[in-house]
Amino acid sequence: MRGSDQRSGELFSYVDIEARVPMRHPLRAIRSIVNQGLASLDGEFDKLYADTGRDSIPPERLLRAALLQAFFSIRSERLLMEQLNYNLLYRWFVGLGVDDAVWDHSVFSKNRDRLLEADVAGKFLAAVLAHPQVKPLLSDEHFSVDGTLIEAWASMKSFRAKDGGDEPPSAGRNGERNFHAEQRSNDTHASTTDPEAKLYRKGKGKEAKLCFMGHALMENRHGLVVQAEATEANGVAERRAALEMIDGQAPGTSQLTLGADKAYDAREFVAGLRQKCVTPHVAQKARSSAIDGRTTRHAGYAVSSRKRKLVEEAFGWAKTIAGCAKVKVRGLARVGFHFTLAMVAYNLIRLPKLLGEAA
């Protein structure tokens, strides 16, 4: 018998939102880990808010909503709030009831900016990795590092001379400007849209773009990101960030290894790792390599050379799914928060399968 297409009218629903999410849904395992990580940050959240005044958006809900934006490739806060209004799965994950009001997108963005000052994204990453089920999955001796370019939310037309001596764009909403054969550099020019973005090109023959640089330190056992940060884009940022991040793994207490590609094959960087009691498993350049036979003769060097490529999977996911190919935020602090949270999301989407295999 054919069913009727007539609406029966508005009725109260007596089915709890918790019962509407399948028990085997992967977001259940992710939400459990996220909630325990957020609970450990309760003291950090208390420091960010005054004891009196009107209640703001709970930081736990801010971070859960930001994770949803990364998981499901939601391109803007406005669209996130729209989907949060009618999607019961999203409401359940964030912690909203069926009848709870959804926030205005501008209020959501302003409240989220409060978390930048306390480096909540980095602490959230550490809290997820410290989970009792996640910690045994991590290697505490073997790591890999790499960097990737993050295109800034700024047009090349905004890259203007600092002294104002260049020709301005023509009139109109999207005025044209001919900057061919014009000598431009970060020393003499800056973006009027995002002054912290720098002009940089990935290699010879590649076009220069306004961008930032994201860095990730990965453990080699399962390829989970253990540290992440964003910096200005320049020729030494990758090596400086790698030295800073490896310090967070307490080098010297045990012999660590660090895998990296040829961009890290510099004598100063290799010497810096050896001073920290870190074995540099860096890919060798064809000429004048700082890596010699005392490193390459060991079997672990070949293993690190294979494992280090796993970090590209994290960057690929962040750019294609989590919106890091061209970020829709401006300023180094916001870009860093966005990139680090994308690395948290990458770890979380992999955990249900890894935990299932471990069980």
Side-chain angles (χ1 to χ4, degrees), residues 71-93:
F71 291 154
F72 296 99
S73 305
I74 303 173
R75 66 178 181 269
S76 67
E77 285 79 8
R78 187 188 298 269
L79 188 58
L80 174 63
M81 295 301 105
E82 177 185 326
Q83 296 196 18
L84 194 58
N85 191 39
Y86 59 74
N87 193 314
L88 292 181
L89 178 66
Y90 291 1
R91 280 180 171 268
W92 166 83
F93 187 84

PDB file of all heavy atoms in Angstrom, residues 71-93:
ATOM      1  N   PHE A  71      35.526  18.154  10.462  1.00  0.00           N
ATOM      2  CA  PHE A  71      35.126  16.803  10.067  1.00  0.00           C
ATOM      3  C   PHE A  71      34.320  16.798   8.769  1.00  0.00           C
ATOM      4  O   PHE A  71      34.514  15.946   7.900  1.00  0.00           O
ATOM      5  CB  PHE A  71      34.259  16.153  11.160  1.00  0.00           C
ATOM      6  CG  PHE A  71      35.000  15.826  12.428  1.00  0.00           C
ATOM      7  CD1 PHE A  71      34.333  15.752  13.632  1.00  0.00           C
ATOM      8  CD2 PHE A  71      36.366  15.580  12.416  1.00  0.00           C
ATOM      9  CE1 PHE A  71      34.995  15.443  14.806  1.00  0.00           C
ATOM     10  CE2 PHE A  71      37.044  15.277  13.575  1.00  0.00           C
ATOM     11  CZ  PHE A  71      36.359  15.206  14.777  1.00  0.00           C
ATOM     12  N   PHE A  72      33.395  17.754   8.641  1.00  0.00           N
ATOM     13  CA  PHE A  72      32.426  17.713   7.548  1.00  0.00           C
ATOM     14  C   PHE A  72      32.627  18.825   6.514  1.00  0.00           C
ATOM     15  O   PHE A  72      31.720  19.119   5.736  1.00  0.00           O
ATOM     16  CB  PHE A  72      30.999  17.782   8.117  1.00  0.00           C
ATOM     17  CG  PHE A  72      30.655  16.586   8.968  1.00  0.00           C
ATOM     18  CD1 PHE A  72      30.728  16.649  10.346  1.00  0.00           C
ATOM     19  CD2 PHE A  72      30.276  15.389   8.379  1.00  0.00           C
ATOM     20  CE1 PHE A  72      30.419  15.546  11.133  1.00  0.00           C
ATOM     21  CE2 PHE A  72      29.960  14.281   9.153  1.00  0.00           C
ATOM     22  CZ  PHE A  72      30.039  14.359  10.535  1.00  0.00           C
ATOM     23  N   SER A  73      33.797  19.447   6.506  1.00  0.00           N
ATOM     24  CA  SER A  73      34.162  20.434   5.473  1.00  0.00           C
ATOM     25  C   SER A  73      33.140  21.560   5.368  1.00  0.00           C
ATOM     26  O   SER A  73      32.756  21.971   4.269  1.00  0.00           O
ATOM     27  CB  SER A  73      34.324  19.749   4.104  1.00  0.00           C
ATOM     28  OG  SER A  73      35.252  18.698   4.164  1.00  0.00           O
ATOM     29  N   ILE A  74      32.703  22.068   6.513  1.00  0.00           N
ATOM     30  CA  ILE A  74      31.752  23.184   6.518  1.00  0.00           C
ATOM     31  C   ILE A  74      32.547  24.469   6.327  1.00  0.00           C
ATOM     32  O   ILE A  74      33.420  24.797   7.124  1.00  0.00           O
ATOM     33  CB  ILE A  74      30.958  23.204   7.837  1.00  0.00           C
ATOM     34  CG1 ILE A  74      30.236  21.864   8.023  1.00  0.00           C
ATOM     35  CG2 ILE A  74      29.948  24.348   7.843  1.00  0.00           C
ATOM     36  CD1 ILE A  74      29.550  21.711   9.358  1.00  0.00           C
ATOM     37  N   ARG A  75      32.258  25.195   5.290  1.00  0.00           N
ATOM     38  CA  ARG A  75      33.176  26.233   4.814  1.00  0.00           C
ATOM     39  C   ARG A  75      33.135  27.533   5.620  1.00  0.00           C
ATOM     40  O   ARG A  75      34.028  28.377   5.464  1.00  0.00           O
ATOM     41  CB  ARG A  75      32.898  26.546   3.345  1.00  0.00           C
ATOM     42  CG  ARG A  75      31.554  27.173   3.069  1.00  0.00           C
ATOM     43  CD  ARG A  75      31.385  27.502   1.586  1.00  0.00           C
ATOM     44  NE  ARG A  75      30.105  28.129   1.298  1.00  0.00           N
ATOM     45  CZ  ARG A  75      29.009  27.470   0.973  1.00  0.00           C
ATOM     46  NH1 ARG A  75      29.051  26.157   0.888  1.00  0.00           N
ATOM     47  NH2 ARG A  75      27.885  28.110   0.735  1.00  0.00           N
ATOM     48  N   SER A  76      32.104  27.770   6.438  1.00  0.00           N
ATOM     49  CA  SER A  76      32.027  29.036   7.164  1.00  0.00           C
ATOM     50  C   SER A  76      31.256  28.850   8.462  1.00  0.00           C
ATOM     51  O   SER A  76      30.488  27.886   8.625  1.00  0.00           O
ATOM     52  CB  SER A  76      31.342  30.115   6.311  1.00  0.00           C
ATOM     53  OG  SER A  76      29.975  29.786   6.108  1.00  0.00           O
ATOM     54  N   GLU A  77      31.449  29.792   9.386  1.00  0.00           N
ATOM     55  CA  GLU A  77      30.717  29.760  10.643  1.00  0.00           C
ATOM     56  C   GLU A  77      29.227  29.990  10.415  1.00  0.00           C
ATOM     57  O   GLU A  77      28.390  29.424  11.122  1.00  0.00           O
ATOM     58  CB  GLU A  77      31.259  30.826  11.602  1.00  0.00           C
ATOM     59  CG  GLU A  77      32.590  30.479  12.233  1.00  0.00           C
ATOM     60  CD  GLU A  77      33.755  30.734  11.296  1.00  0.00           C
ATOM     61  OE1 GLU A  77      33.529  31.317  10.208  1.00  0.00           O
ATOM     62  OE2 GLU A  77      34.893  30.343  11.639  1.00  0.00           O
ATOM     63  N   ARG A  78      28.885  30.807   9.441  1.00  0.00           N
ATOM     64  CA  ARG A  78      27.474  31.052   9.140  1.00  0.00           C
ATOM     65  C   ARG A  78      26.784  29.756   8.722  1.00  0.00           C
ATOM     66  O   ARG A  78      25.677  29.440   9.185  1.00  0.00           O
ATOM     67  CB  ARG A  78      27.358  32.096   8.014  1.00  0.00           C
ATOM     68  CG  ARG A  78      25.928  32.543   7.743  1.00  0.00           C
ATOM     69  CD  ARG A  78      25.897  33.423   6.498  1.00  0.00           C
ATOM     70  NE  ARG A  78      26.675  34.628   6.682  1.00  0.00           N
ATOM     71  CZ  ARG A  78      26.169  35.769   7.151  1.00  0.00           C
ATOM     72  NH1 ARG A  78      24.895  35.837   7.482  1.00  0.00           N
ATOM     73  NH2 ARG A  78      26.942  36.826   7.280  1.00  0.00           N
ATOM     74  N   LEU A  79      27.436  28.985   7.851  1.00  0.00           N
ATOM     75  CA  LEU A  79      26.857  27.711   7.413  1.00  0.00           C
ATOM     76  C   LEU A  79      26.874  26.687   8.553  1.00  0.00           C
ATOM     77  O   LEU A  79      25.965  25.862   8.665  1.00  0.00           O
ATOM     78  CB  LEU A  79      27.636  27.178   6.211  1.00  0.00           C
ATOM     79  CG  LEU A  79      27.060  25.946   5.512  1.00  0.00           C
ATOM     80  CD1 LEU A  79      25.647  26.212   5.016  1.00  0.00           C
ATOM     81  CD2 LEU A  79      27.941  25.520   4.351  1.00  0.00           C
ATOM     82  N   LEU A  80      27.891  26.736   9.404  1.00  0.00           N
ATOM     83  CA  LEU A  80      27.940  25.829  10.548  1.00  0.00           C
ATOM     84  C   LEU A  80      26.752  26.060  11.471  1.00  0.00           C
ATOM     85  O   LEU A  80      26.103  25.104  11.921  1.00  0.00           O
ATOM     86  CB  LEU A  80      29.253  26.042  11.312  1.00  0.00           C
ATOM     87  CG  LEU A  80      29.421  25.268  12.625  1.00  0.00           C
ATOM     88  CD1 LEU A  80      29.427  23.766  12.367  1.00  0.00           C
ATOM     89  CD2 LEU A  80      30.699  25.693  13.336  1.00  0.00           C
ATOM     90  N   MET A  81      26.447  27.319  11.768  1.00  0.00           N
ATOM     91  CA  MET A  81      25.299  27.621  12.631  1.00  0.00           C
ATOM     92  C   MET A  81      23.988  27.209  11.965  1.00  0.00           C
ATOM     93  O   MET A  81      23.063  26.731  12.627  1.00  0.00           O
ATOM     94  CB  MET A  81      25.264  29.115  12.954  1.00  0.00           C
ATOM     95  CG  MET A  81      26.459  29.603  13.784  1.00  0.00           C
ATOM     96  SD  MET A  81      26.632  28.763  15.371  1.00  0.00           S
ATOM     97  CE  MET A  81      28.029  27.683  15.028  1.00  0.00           C
ATOM     98  N   GLU A  82      23.906  27.377  10.647  1.00  0.00           N
ATOM     99  CA  GLU A  82      22.691  26.975   9.929  1.00  0.00           C
ATOM    100  C   GLU A  82      22.472  25.471  10.033  1.00  0.00           C
ATOM    101  O   GLU A  82      21.356  25.005  10.318  1.00  0.00           O
ATOM    102  CB  GLU A  82      22.801  27.398   8.460  1.00  0.00           C
ATOM    103  CG  GLU A  82      21.618  26.973   7.603  1.00  0.00           C
ATOM    104  CD  GLU A  82      21.821  27.311   6.142  1.00  0.00           C
ATOM    105  OE1 GLU A  82      22.451  28.348   5.853  1.00  0.00           O
ATOM    106  OE2 GLU A  82      21.365  26.524   5.287  1.00  0.00           O
ATOM    107  N   GLN A  83      23.529  24.687   9.816  1.00  0.00           N
ATOM    108  CA  GLN A  83      23.387  23.235   9.877  1.00  0.00           C
ATOM    109  C   GLN A  83      23.210  22.748  11.310  1.00  0.00           C
ATOM    110  O   GLN A  83      22.531  21.750  11.564  1.00  0.00           O
ATOM    111  CB  GLN A  83      24.595  22.568   9.224  1.00  0.00           C
ATOM    112  CG  GLN A  83      24.720  22.870   7.738  1.00  0.00           C
ATOM    113  CD  GLN A  83      25.668  21.931   7.030  1.00  0.00           C
ATOM    114  OE1 GLN A  83      25.989  20.865   7.532  1.00  0.00           O
ATOM    115  NE2 GLN A  83      26.124  22.334   5.851  1.00  0.00           N
ATOM    116  N   LEU A  84      23.811  23.444  12.258  1.00  0.00           N
ATOM    117  CA  LEU A  84      23.636  23.081  13.654  1.00  0.00           C
ATOM    118  C   LEU A  84      22.188  23.278  14.103  1.00  0.00           C
ATOM    119  O   LEU A  84      21.733  22.627  15.043  1.00  0.00           O
ATOM    120  CB  LEU A  84      24.572  23.934  14.524  1.00  0.00           C
ATOM    121  CG  LEU A  84      24.810  23.509  15.967  1.00  0.00           C
ATOM    122  CD1 LEU A  84      25.367  22.095  16.030  1.00  0.00           C
ATOM    123  CD2 LEU A  84      25.762  24.479  16.644  1.00  0.00           C
ATOM    124  N   ASN A  85      21.482  24.140  13.416  1.00  0.00           N
ATOM    125  CA  ASN A  85      20.090  24.417  13.766  1.00  0.00           C
ATOM    126  C   ASN A  85      19.170  23.246  13.458  1.00  0.00           C
ATOM    127  O   ASN A  85      18.205  22.999  14.188  1.00  0.00           O
ATOM    128  CB  ASN A  85      19.612  25.676  13.033  1.00  0.00           C
ATOM    129  CG  ASN A  85      18.280  26.171  13.546  1.00  0.00           C
ATOM    130  OD1 ASN A  85      18.016  26.134  14.740  1.00  0.00           O
ATOM    131  ND2 ASN A  85      17.438  26.635  12.638  1.00  0.00           N
ATOM    132  N   TYR A  86      19.458  22.496  12.358  1.00  0.00           N
ATOM    133  CA  TYR A  86      18.520  21.445  11.958  1.00  0.00           C
ATOM    134  C   TYR A  86      19.115  20.038  11.970  1.00  0.00           C
ATOM    135  O   TYR A  86      18.379  19.059  11.803  1.00  0.00           O
ATOM    136  CB  TYR A  86      17.940  21.740  10.573  1.00  0.00           C
ATOM    137  CG  TYR A  86      18.939  21.859   9.451  1.00  0.00           C
ATOM    138  CD1 TYR A  86      19.581  20.752   8.919  1.00  0.00           C
ATOM    139  CD2 TYR A  86      19.225  23.103   8.891  1.00  0.00           C
ATOM    140  CE1 TYR A  86      20.493  20.869   7.881  1.00  0.00           C
ATOM    141  CE2 TYR A  86      20.131  23.235   7.856  1.00  0.00           C
ATOM    142  CZ  TYR A  86      20.758  22.112   7.357  1.00  0.00           C
ATOM    143  OH  TYR A  86      21.668  22.244   6.332  1.00  0.00           O
ATOM    144  N   ASN A  87      20.407  19.895  12.161  1.00  0.00           N
ATOM    145  CA  ASN A  87      21.025  18.575  12.124  1.00  0.00           C
ATOM    146  C   ASN A  87      21.114  18.018  13.545  1.00  0.00           C
ATOM    147  O   ASN A  87      21.872  18.523  14.376  1.00  0.00           O
ATOM    148  CB  ASN A  87      22.428  18.672  11.498  1.00  0.00           C
ATOM    149  CG  ASN A  87      22.994  17.320  11.149  1.00  0.00           C
ATOM    150  OD1 ASN A  87      22.942  16.386  11.941  1.00  0.00           O
ATOM    151  ND2 ASN A  87      23.559  17.212   9.953  1.00  0.00           N
ATOM    152  N   LEU A  88      20.356  16.960  13.826  1.00  0.00           N
ATOM    153  CA  LEU A  88      20.325  16.392  15.172  1.00  0.00           C
ATOM    154  C   LEU A  88      21.663  15.768  15.557  1.00  0.00           C
ATOM    155  O   LEU A  88      22.055  15.795  16.723  1.00  0.00           O
ATOM    156  CB  LEU A  88      19.214  15.342  15.281  1.00  0.00           C
ATOM    157  CG  LEU A  88      17.785  15.869  15.206  1.00  0.00           C
ATOM    158  CD1 LEU A  88      16.797  14.722  15.359  1.00  0.00           C
ATOM    159  CD2 LEU A  88      17.530  16.923  16.278  1.00  0.00           C
ATOM    160  N   LEU A  89      22.378  15.187  14.593  1.00  0.00           N
ATOM    161  CA  LEU A  89      23.690  14.609  14.888  1.00  0.00           C
ATOM    162  C   LEU A  89      24.659  15.684  15.355  1.00  0.00           C
ATOM    163  O   LEU A  89      25.401  15.499  16.330  1.00  0.00           O
ATOM    164  CB  LEU A  89      24.247  13.902  13.653  1.00  0.00           C
ATOM    165  CG  LEU A  89      25.643  13.292  13.798  1.00  0.00           C
ATOM    166  CD1 LEU A  89      25.627  12.141  14.802  1.00  0.00           C
ATOM    167  CD2 LEU A  89      26.181  12.819  12.449  1.00  0.00           C
ATOM    168  N   TYR A  90      24.655  16.832  14.687  1.00  0.00           N
ATOM    169  CA  TYR A  90      25.525  17.935  15.072  1.00  0.00           C
ATOM    170  C   TYR A  90      25.152  18.454  16.459  1.00  0.00           C
ATOM    171  O   TYR A  90      26.023  18.751  17.281  1.00  0.00           O
ATOM    172  CB  TYR A  90      25.447  19.065  14.048  1.00  0.00           C
ATOM    173  CG  TYR A  90      26.047  18.759  12.697  1.00  0.00           C
ATOM    174  CD1 TYR A  90      26.601  17.513  12.424  1.00  0.00           C
ATOM    175  CD2 TYR A  90      26.067  19.713  11.686  1.00  0.00           C
ATOM    176  CE1 TYR A  90      27.145  17.231  11.185  1.00  0.00           C
ATOM    177  CE2 TYR A  90      26.625  19.449  10.438  1.00  0.00           C
ATOM    178  CZ  TYR A  90      27.156  18.199  10.196  1.00  0.00           C
ATOM    179  OH  TYR A  90      27.701  17.926   8.964  1.00  0.00           O
ATOM    180  N   ARG A  91      23.854  18.592  16.713  1.00  0.00           N
ATOM    181  CA  ARG A  91      23.398  19.059  18.020  1.00  0.00           C
ATOM    182  C   ARG A  91      23.864  18.112  19.128  1.00  0.00           C
ATOM    183  O   ARG A  91      24.309  18.542  20.186  1.00  0.00           O
ATOM    184  CB  ARG A  91      21.878  19.179  18.041  1.00  0.00           C
ATOM    185  CG  ARG A  91      21.333  20.438  17.385  1.00  0.00           C
ATOM    186  CD  ARG A  91      19.819  20.476  17.443  1.00  0.00           C
ATOM    187  NE  ARG A  91      19.325  21.774  17.005  1.00  0.00           N
ATOM    188  CZ  ARG A  91      19.080  22.801  17.813  1.00  0.00           C
ATOM    189  NH1 ARG A  91      19.272  22.659  19.112  1.00  0.00           N
ATOM    190  NH2 ARG A  91      18.637  23.944  17.341  1.00  0.00           N
ATOM    191  N   TRP A  92      23.728  16.822  18.881  1.00  0.00           N
ATOM    192  CA  TRP A  92      24.142  15.834  19.889  1.00  0.00           C
ATOM    193  C   TRP A  92      25.637  15.930  20.153  1.00  0.00           C
ATOM    194  O   TRP A  92      26.067  15.901  21.310  1.00  0.00           O
ATOM    195  CB  TRP A  92      23.769  14.435  19.392  1.00  0.00           C
ATOM    196  CG  TRP A  92      24.419  13.334  20.158  1.00  0.00           C
ATOM    197  CD1 TRP A  92      24.017  12.789  21.342  1.00  0.00           C
ATOM    198  CD2 TRP A  92      25.626  12.630  19.797  1.00  0.00           C
ATOM    199  NE1 TRP A  92      24.888  11.800  21.751  1.00  0.00           N
ATOM    200  CE2 TRP A  92      25.884  11.684  20.822  1.00  0.00           C
ATOM    201  CE3 TRP A  92      26.500  12.702  18.716  1.00  0.00           C
ATOM    202  CZ2 TRP A  92      26.985  10.825  20.780  1.00  0.00           C
ATOM    203  CZ3 TRP A  92      27.592  11.862  18.684  1.00  0.00           C
ATOM    204  CH2 TRP A  92      27.823  10.930  19.705  1.00  0.00           C
ATOM    205  N   PHE A  93      26.450  16.057  19.103  1.00  0.00           N
ATOM    206  CA  PHE A  93      27.899  16.092  19.274  1.00  0.00           C
ATOM    207  C   PHE A  93      28.328  17.340  20.041  1.00  0.00           C
ATOM    208  O   PHE A  93      29.194  17.271  20.921  1.00  0.00           O
ATOM    209  CB  PHE A  93      28.594  16.037  17.921  1.00  0.00           C
ATOM    210  CG  PHE A  93      30.088  15.911  17.999  1.00  0.00           C
ATOM    211  CD1 PHE A  93      30.685  14.670  18.158  1.00  0.00           C
ATOM    212  CD2 PHE A  93      30.905  17.034  17.927  1.00  0.00           C
ATOM    213  CE1 PHE A  93      32.065  14.551  18.247  1.00  0.00           C
ATOM    214  CE2 PHE A  93      32.288  16.922  18.012  1.00  0.00           C
ATOM    215  CZ  PHE A  93      32.864  15.677  18.179  1.00  0.00           C
TER     216      PHE A  93
END
